[in-house]
Amino acid sequence: MSGLIRFLQTLDYMRLVLGICILVDGYPLIFFFRETLKLAPGSTAFTAAALAGGLVLMVPFTLFRRLYRPNITMLGLGVGFLLLCIFYMYVYMGDPGFKDYTKDMIYYTYIFIFIFLLINIPNDIIRVFIPVVILFTFISNLGLIYSLMTNPTWALGQRATITLGDNDEGSGNPHAFARNAFMGLVACAIWLVRPQTGVIFRLFALFAGILNLAILILTQTRSGILAMLIALAFFMFYNVRPAQIRMAVRGIFRPIPIITIILGFVGVVIFFQKFSDTYGILYSYVLAFAERNLENVYALLGLKAKGAAYQATLDASAANRSVSANFFSNVLSGHLYMLILGYGYKFLYLDVPVMEALTNHGILGFVFFGGLNGLIFYHILTIMRTNPNPLSTFLAYFYMLILVTLFTNGRPNEIAFWFPLALMIRFIGVEHLFPTYLSNHPTAADGTDQYVVVPNNQAS
């Protein structure tokens, strides 16, 4: 009977994590059902309904009866910024033509509900969080692959994304699929290095990880690839020691590793000889990615490219951030006083969220938004070093993508930021409060599980 109860509890925890995945990473599947399967092309109502469905899945059976302790300081900073945004929206509008009050309030409502539900969700979801993320991102990747294969306007060399509505071919939101791939890659890596993972699940995680890496490359998003490199650098710094490197190098020059390397090299050569188009595709992706980024560098330096008669130009996103940087520089040099209160809600889309938090919402907005992210970064460095539990480790490396996008993409009040940030508020910096059996190092945990309980309810 106890085994059946534990099984049902596991299914319930998986339901809760599935709801979290829909909110944090639901857009790839939403786009698949909405655009590829033509259930509701271009419908924002469908997207809102899908996100609402995720919130419903997150409702625990202990709702209102058991509240788990988040990071209180981070919660205060996050809620403070959100309330400041709502206040500015109604009192200090920076965009005179703004009319989307209802739409933005729905977004803020979703964020507050998500935060509240996270505080109700038990810490025991840590047990199933990584497997559910792996499965969810894998299914999302399959949806993208199916969409690309059935889209006659897409060809290899274009960015991997699902065309939205009746837009031109190749249009869409590749950043959503890059986030999905990045999340899946991090989760697969954690599951692969976990000693308790069985052989079958380890092989599946390896396959899913390779697929995530391929999708991340196909999306051609600079922020995703840069975040992956930063995450890899942090992993090497905290987990690889000089003695391990020396041992690995010595281990390579043994008979079995040498034979394995030779067979692997021969296998790769045979593969590319048999499928020569694959090499050409990979080469074209790398070359196109390098050319696009080098041209941005040339343009910033005022240099020429592709011959003396060709003046390098910035692409659209880089050009927008360049204009934003010039605007911010002008503010600093001649209108510094405007940064006290900011220019108002959605005054200007800078495409640099941390800069926009200061420009549009003033010093207080910057303190709230920048302080929250600074505190998260402080805690994730400790998590990368100590590896307390799978969920905290996942959030620490996942935050690398959020960190990069703070300076490269989006707005500080978008739900694409705040759903992940809400996860950080709930689970980052409070690892010492989790029960011992959820820790990767049981002897180092104190075994307490902090929450607020309504009278006559006891801890599980």
Side-chain angles (χ1 to χ4, degrees):
M1 181 60 69
S2 60
L4 177 61
I5 293 175
R6 181 176 175 82
F7 175 73
L8 294 176
Q9 281 183 334
T10 300
L11 290 180
D12 187 49
Y13 295 150
M14 293 177 71
R15 168 184 67 88
L16 299 175
V17 177
L18 177 60
I20 293 174
C21 287
I22 292 175
L23 272 296
V24 176
D25 184 42
Y27 280 103
L29 275 182
I30 291 173
F31 292 156
F32 172 74
F33 286 108
R34 201 182 76 182
E35 309 295 340
T36 302
L37 299 185
K38 305 296 182 183
L39 296 183
S43 172
T44 56
F46 182 88
T47 301
L51 296 178
L55 291 174
V56 172
L57 286 174
M58 285 179 60
V59 177
F61 292 114
T62 56
L63 185 69
F64 296 113
R65 291 185 291 136
R66 182 171 298 172
L67 303 178
Y68 293 81
R69 190 186 303 277
N71 189 305
I72 301 300
T73 305
M74 287 163 52
L75 178 64
L77 291 172
V79 171
F81 182 78
L82 293 171
L83 292 178
L84 181 67
C85 288
I86 296 173
F87 176 78
Y88 268 44
M89 182 173 63
Y90 287 103
V91 177
Y92 188 29
M93 176 58 63
D95 179 9
F98 181 81
K99 297 179 181 179
D100 295 331
Y101 293 95
T102 302
K103 177 181 176 182
D104 280 24
M105 273 307 303
I106 291 174
Y107 289 154
Y108 290 125
T109 302
Y110 275 36
I111 295 170
F112 281 116
I113 293 174
F114 184 64
I115 294 174
F116 174 73
L117 290 176
L118 283 176
I119 295 174
N120 281 267
I121 285 179
N123 296 318
D124 292 78
I125 65 167
I126 291 175
R127 292 197 289 112
V128 300
F129 190 88
I130 299 300
V132 173
V133 170
I134 293 175
L135 288 172
F136 188 86
T137 55
F138 179 74
I139 293 172
S140 298
N141 284 331
L142 293 182
L144 173 61
I145 292 172
Y146 175 82
S147 177
L148 297 178
M149 291 176 63
T150 56
N151 184 0
T153 65
W154 188 86
L156 283 169
Q158 292 179 312
R159 304 178 80 174
T161 184
I162 292 179
T163 302
L164 302 181
D166 297 325
N167 294 330
D168 297 333
E169 60 184 64
S171 65
N173 185 4
H175 293 281
F177 298 96
R179 170 183 287 196
N180 178 78
F182 186 83
M183 287 179 58
L185 192 60
V186 171
C188 289
I190 293 174
W191 210 241
L192 279 170
V193 300
R194 181 176 177 270
Q196 298 90 340
T197 305
V199 176
I200 295 177
F201 291 105
R202 195 180 298 272
L203 290 175
F204 176 74
L206 178 61
F207 173 74
I210 294 173
L211 180 61
N212 282 305
L213 179 60
I215 295 296
L216 184 61
I217 294 173
L218 289 174
T219 60
Q220 301 182 51
T221 55
R222 287 187 290 266
S223 57
I225 294 175
L226 178 59
M228 180 187 67
L229 295 176
I230 295 175
L232 181 61
F234 273 113
F235 176 81
M236 297 291 290
F237 178 78
Y238 284 112
N239 295 278
V240 179
R241 299 290 179 264
Q244 294 174 309
I245 297 175
R246 290 193 296 269
M247 184 180 299
V249 171
R250 287 197 298 266
I252 291 176
F253 295 99
R254 294 177 180 175
I256 294 180
I258 290 176
I259 294 173
T260 303
I261 293 173
I262 293 174
L263 291 176
F265 179 77
V266 172
V268 170
V269 171
I270 293 174
F271 176 82
F272 281 123
Q273 285 180 342
K274 187 173 182 180
F275 303 98
S276 57
D277 291 343
T278 304
Y279 174 79
I281 292 169
L282 291 174
Y283 179 77
S284 64
Y285 265 99
V286 173
L287 186 62
F289 184 79
E291 285 182 348
R292 188 170 65 253
N293 287 280
L294 284 175
E295 181 147 339
N296 286 330
V297 174
Y298 292 149
L300 288 172
L301 298 176
L303 301 177
K304 297 181 181 296
K306 298 182 180 179
Y310 182 84
Q311 183 70 31
T313 57
L314 293 169
D315 62 26
S317 59
N320 189 48
R321 283 188 287 274
S322 178
V323 172
S324 301
N326 290 333
F327 170 81
F328 189 70
S329 177
N330 292 333
V331 172
L332 291 178
S333 61
H335 304 83
L336 190 60
Y337 65 94
M338 288 298 299
L339 296 182
I340 297 176
L341 295 177
Y343 281 85
Y345 187 73
K346 291 193 174 181
F347 170 77
L348 186 64
Y349 177 53
L350 297 177
D351 213 14
V352 182
V354 69
M355 187 189 299
E356 185 173 326
L358 174 60
T359 303
N360 290 359
H361 301 94
I363 294 176
L364 188 58
F366 179 77
V367 169
F368 282 144
F369 189 72
L372 172 62
N373 283 279
L375 196 56
I376 291 174
F377 187 74
Y378 169 79
H379 284 297
I380 62 126
L381 293 180
T382 301
I383 291 172
M384 289 179 179
R385 178 170 50 84
T386 59
N387 187 27
N389 61 78
L391 174 55
S392 297
T393 303
F394 170 83
L395 292 178
Y397 286 100
F398 174 43
Y399 184 72
M400 294 298 99
L401 181 60
I402 306 301
L403 179 65
V404 171
T405 54
L406 283 177
F407 303 94
T408 60
N409 182 40
R411 311 195 77 153
N413 55 341
E414 289 180 346
I415 57 175
F417 267 114
W418 282 97
F419 287 146
L421 290 179
L423 270 180
M424 310 291 171
I425 290 171
R426 167 64 176 88
F427 291 104
I428 292 293
V430 292
E431 297 79 17
H432 60 287
L433 302 178
F434 298 163
T436 304
Y437 58 84
L438 296 177
S439 174
N440 287 334
H441 317 287
T443 57
D446 64 4
T448 61
D449 193 6
Q450 299 292 328
Y451 47 79
V452 179
V453 189
V454 173
N456 299 325
N457 284 282
Q458 298 184 2
S460 58

